């Protein structure tokens, strides 16, 4: 059949009542749209205030329709499917009745979303923890109080009840300014920052690509404060003029913005090795190396970033807990290659 809607997009549908239009709004709409929407669905949309007639929201399905009426339906966003438990192995560092601390591998998405409705850390946690996670922090992100990018590895803490979730979420929101929360990362970046220790204070917002972030003027509408403290802890292939091909950098966050370390390091001219979004232009630098380092660095498949340290106050006992994890094998191989040694 022909599209009954006169205009609009997937989220907004518009119809114009013809000269013979009459009857109840829900009945008229059901006839007009055919099998696109059932009468019961249309009735529910009307009662939710999602239907307007001549610009005025209508909540009575029995309202009469008149010739020439302009009827607009605002389609709600589809509800996300509720995540299910999946038997995905977890590398658990610590667990009690309130929380679980684990090491997330690179390649694992933290919570379900577009394109990743299964196979996530949340699916693994639901299987591991059972019903205890139900509803904590929302259906899509049960227990999650912070996250790591899909291709970033490292230590995370997850809440197992509402009280723990509230307590941990407050610590992460405070970013360790007044409490014991501490997060530290190791990153392998191209080149060497001019100063071996420094602070990057540059607001972040959305870039033209909606999945990426960019440094923004602090007065921009979507600009959010972002502060990263860094220290160069190792230099690879250092030259007499104090420059070098790459560096190992420790980064500590004072704020927790999406892609913060990746964008900030690229902003000062030292993107992370392997970063496909913010460091792709630097990949050819691997050609400056001899084999096998050239191949190891050139094919490194992800941003070289590992959350190696996490400290926080236990929500029940008040004890300050600190967890530190070794770099994963791929980053260890990368750093060994840059040191001039083959991976053992």
């Amino acid at each position: 059949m022909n599209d009954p809607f006169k205009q609009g997009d997937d989220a907004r549908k518009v119809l114009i009542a013809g000269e013979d239009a009459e009857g109840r709004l829900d009945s008229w709409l059901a006839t007009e749209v055919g099998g696109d929407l059932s009468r019961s669905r249309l009735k529910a949309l009307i009662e939710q205030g999602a239907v307007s007639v001549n610009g005025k929201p209508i909540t009575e399905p029995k309202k009469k329709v008149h010739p020439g009426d302009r009827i607009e339906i605002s389609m709600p966003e589809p509800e996300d499917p509720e995540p299910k438990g999946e038997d995905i192995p977890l590398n658990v560092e610590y667990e009690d009745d309130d929380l679980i601390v684990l090491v997330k591998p690179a390649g694992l998405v933290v919570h379900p979303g577009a394109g990743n409705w299964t196979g996530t850390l949340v699916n693994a946690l639901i299987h591991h923890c059972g019903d205890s996670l139900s509803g904590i922090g929302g259906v899509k992100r049960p227990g999650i109080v912070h996250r790591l990018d899909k291709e970033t590895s490292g230590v995370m803490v997850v809440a197992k009840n509402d009280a723990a979730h509230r307590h941990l979420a407050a610590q992460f929101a405070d970013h360790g300014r007044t409490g014991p929360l501490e997060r530290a990362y190791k990153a392998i970046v191209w080149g060497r920052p001019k100063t071996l220790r420094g602070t990057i204070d540059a607001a972040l917002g959305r870039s033209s690509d909606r999945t990426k972030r960019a440094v923004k003027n602090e007065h921009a509408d979507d600009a959010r404060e972002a502060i990263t403290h860094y220290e160069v802890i190792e230099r690879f292939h250092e030259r007499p003029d104090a420059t070098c091909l790459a560096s190992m950098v420790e980064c500590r966050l004072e704020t927790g913005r999406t892609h913060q370390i990746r964008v900030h390091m690229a902003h000062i001219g030292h993107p992370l090795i392997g970063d496909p979004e913010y460091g792709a232009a630097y990949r050819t630098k691997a050609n400056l190396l001899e084999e096998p380092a050239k191949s190891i660095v050139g094919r490194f498949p992800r941003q070289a970033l590992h959350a190696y340290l996490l400290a926080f106050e236990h929500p029940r006992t008040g004890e300050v807990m600190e967890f530190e994890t070794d770099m994963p094998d791929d980053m260890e191989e990368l750093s060994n290659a840059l040191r001039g040694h083959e991976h053992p």
Side-chain angles (χ1 to χ4, degrees), residues 228-291:
T228 302
H229 305 285
Y230 72 86
E231 180 178 1
V232 177
I233 55 178
E234 186 173 358
R235 287 163 276 182
F236 305 109
H237 289 257
E238 190 166 21
R239 306 179 183 97
D241 62 359
T243 62
C244 59
L245 181 68
S247 303
M248 179 88 72
V249 178
E250 181 186 270
C251 295
R252 292 178 180 258
L253 299 178
E254 192 172 319
T255 57
R257 308 303 178 203
T258 300
H259 297 179
Q260 179 173 319
I261 292 173
R262 299 165 62 189
V263 179
H264 271 175
M265 295 310 298
H267 176 62
I268 64 170
H270 303 285
L272 276 59
I273 288 179
D275 194 326
E277 277 92 16
Y278 308 105
Y282 284 70
R283 274 196 175 276
T284 56
K285 284 185 174 289
N287 294 330
L288 300 173
L289 293 165
E290 299 293 330
E291 293 290 1

Side-chain angles (χ1 to χ4, degrees), residues 58-205:
I58 302 298
T59 57
E60 287 292 331
K62 65 182 180 181
K63 175 178 172 57
K64 299 299 182 183
V65 177
H66 301 95
D69 280 347
R70 184 180 189 275
I71 298 161
E72 181 175 327
I73 306 173
S74 298
M75 303 297 292
E77 291 287 331
E79 293 185 4
D80 296 330
E82 184 173 344
K84 307 296 182 184
E86 297 177 41
D87 189 5
I88 300 170
L90 290 174
N91 182 0
V92 177
E93 293 281 294
Y94 173 85
E95 183 175 10
D96 60 24
D97 291 341
D98 298 297
L99 55 85
I100 179 171
V101 177
L102 53 91
V103 180
K104 186 190 87 67
L108 183 65
V109 175
V110 170
H111 52 71
N116 294 288
W117 293 115
T118 61
T120 71
L121 177 61
V122 161
N123 297 112
L125 287 165
I126 291 172
H127 180 273
H128 179 84
C129 300
D131 294 336
S132 67
L133 285 182
S134 179
I136 302 168
V139 172
K140 276 178 61 178
R141 307 178 184 186
I144 302 298
V145 292
H146 69 123
R147 72 180 187 89
L148 299 174
D149 293 340
K150 175 182 178 181
E151 298 299 343
T152 298
S153 56
V155 64
M156 292 183 63
V157 60
V158 177
K160 294 176 67 175
N161 55 58
D162 284 320
H165 190 276
R166 288 193 299 270
H167 196 287
L168 289 168
Q171 292 186 60
F172 278 90
D174 182 63
H175 302 298
R177 291 186 172 105
T178 62
L181 182 81
E182 188 177 2
R183 289 178 291 169
Y185 297 70
K186 287 182 179 177
I188 303 176
V189 306
W190 289 113
R192 194 211 87 173
K194 291 182 179 178
T195 56
L196 297 180
R197 179 182 296 176
T199 296
I200 305 168
D201 185 347
L204 299 181

